[in-house]
Amino acid sequence: RVTLKMAKNLIRVTFNGRRRLDLSKMGITTFPKCILDLADVEELDLSRNMLKKIPNTIEKFQNLLWLDLHSNQLDELPKAIGTLQNLTFLNVCNNKLTTKSLPEELTLLKNLHNLNLGLNCLDSIPTTLGSLKKITDLGLFDNTLTAIPKSVRNLPKLERLNVKRNPLPELIEQEEHGDTIKRIETLYLVEEKDLCSSCLKMCRGERDELHKLEDVTPSSSKKPSFPLLLTPNSSAKDNQEEWRVR
């Protein structure tokens, strides 16, 4: 059970001068009401707990710039989260959020730069997230997304969009048309004498396919040259002290 005295002792000042209330990894199952008396902090970390719900009283934290709720058991976000209009960072990764449980009020966070929705149960992304024009980093990985709205893909300041491990058509196509040469190379790890007749036949067939690919792949006529790397490692060992002085 978190007490007010305990919470006060868990406030730290970050390198940029903000006050962070760090309640992460404490096995919390219910949002501690006592921390409402500390609602003037700029950062709140409730990650890696067992929270199932964030109450609407979160609106009291009007100074919040940074809110970390990742790795809990949240299946919804409160509408009041839209009142935290100073937020620049919001992490709700690794919860149980669905598309329907994302409140429309999320689009009111106009100052958000970083939004992490990865590792949830999202099957689609609301097109209204395209109104968050200041987002530079958006995490949507490990969901069940089959499409990303153009309004989100074309966010004006977006620098990083992580959509890995979603059943997106373009990702599936990339997996099916991977680098064939790399996959064939992994077959040549044993000598021919160690293979049975059927495996040997299969490997020879793959090798023939590799040779065909080599014939159509342009190769560089200029080989890399490193004329300055003349000192063997054995000599380099003896000269280490001299290098340190230099």
Side-chain angles (χ1 to χ4, degrees):
R1 183 171 176 270
V2 178
T3 64
L4 180 58
K5 182 179 179 181
M6 184 190 303
K8 285 181 177 178
N9 290 331
L10 291 172
I11 293 178
R12 300 287 183 268
V13 178
T14 64
F15 71 94
N16 53 9
R18 298 177 186 172
R19 289 167 303 149
R20 176 183 297 180
L21 175 54
D22 188 350
L23 298 174
S24 63
K25 296 180 287 188
M26 295 185 66
I28 299 171
T29 57
T30 306
F31 188 87
K33 292 181 180 179
C34 65
I35 68 173
L36 295 176
D37 290 336
L38 304 174
D40 58 344
V41 296
E42 291 85 15
E43 300 188 359
L44 177 59
D45 189 349
L46 285 164
S47 65
R48 300 184 180 93
N49 283 297
M50 293 181 283
L51 291 168
K52 294 184 178 180
K53 185 177 181 180
I54 300 296
N56 278 314
T57 50
I58 192 72
E59 66 186 2
K60 293 186 178 293
F61 289 81
Q62 285 299 304
N63 291 338
L64 275 189
L65 301 171
W66 191 94
L67 177 59
D68 195 344
L69 300 171
H70 86 267
S71 302
N72 277 284
Q73 298 178 23
L74 302 174
D75 56 13
E76 65 176 351
L77 293 177
K79 293 182 178 182
I81 201 165
T83 66
L84 307 179
Q85 306 220 349
N86 290 316
L87 271 187
T88 61
F89 176 97
L90 176 60
N91 188 355
V92 290
C93 167
N94 194 20
N95 278 286
K96 299 180 179 180
L97 299 173
T98 64
T99 303
K100 291 182 180 180
S101 67
L102 294 180
E104 290 183 14
E105 288 76 8
L106 200 61
T107 61
L108 298 176
L109 303 178
K110 302 298 185 183
N111 287 306
L112 267 188
H113 290 186
N114 296 71
L115 175 59
N116 193 344
L117 295 168
L119 275 167
N120 278 288
C121 307
L122 306 177
D123 55 19
S124 63
I125 295 297
T127 58
T128 50
L129 283 187
S131 64
L132 302 178
K133 304 297 184 183
K134 292 188 178 181
I135 284 188
T136 59
D137 194 322
L138 179 58
L140 300 174
F141 54 91
D142 291 288
N143 281 286
T144 57
L145 304 174
T146 55
I148 306 296
K150 286 185 178 180
S151 60
V152 174
R153 286 185 181 273
N154 297 330
L155 282 165
K157 295 189 177 182
L158 190 62
E159 297 175 0
R160 183 171 180 268
L161 175 62
N162 188 346
V163 294
K164 292 179 179 178
R165 294 175 296 279
N166 278 285
L168 293 165
E170 57 265 41
L171 293 182
I172 295 174
E173 187 176 348
Q174 285 176 14
E175 290 176 1
E176 291 177 350
H177 298 86
D179 190 332
T180 309
I181 295 179
K182 287 183 180 178
R183 283 188 280 130
I184 290 176
E185 282 178 346
T186 60
L187 294 174
Y188 301 102
L189 299 176
V190 295
E191 294 184 16
E192 289 189 0
K193 64 182 179 63
D194 297 320
L195 296 173
C196 64
S197 57
S198 59
C199 290
L200 181 59
K201 182 178 180 180
M202 180 183 68
C203 286
R204 282 174 174 167
E206 294 287 357
R207 183 173 59 188
D208 292 341
E209 290 296 321
L210 175 61
H211 290 157
K212 290 178 183 178
L213 287 169
E214 287 176 342
D215 292 338
V216 298
T217 303
S219 59
S220 174
S221 58
K222 186 177 180 182
K223 294 183 178 180
S225 176
F226 306 97
L228 298 179
L229 299 182
L230 300 176
T231 308
N233 288 337
S234 57
S235 301
K237 261 186 175 179
D238 298 333
N239 295 333
Q240 281 182 4
E241 289 301 325
E242 183 182 347
W243 294 344
R244 290 194 184 100
V245 173
R246 290 181 180 178

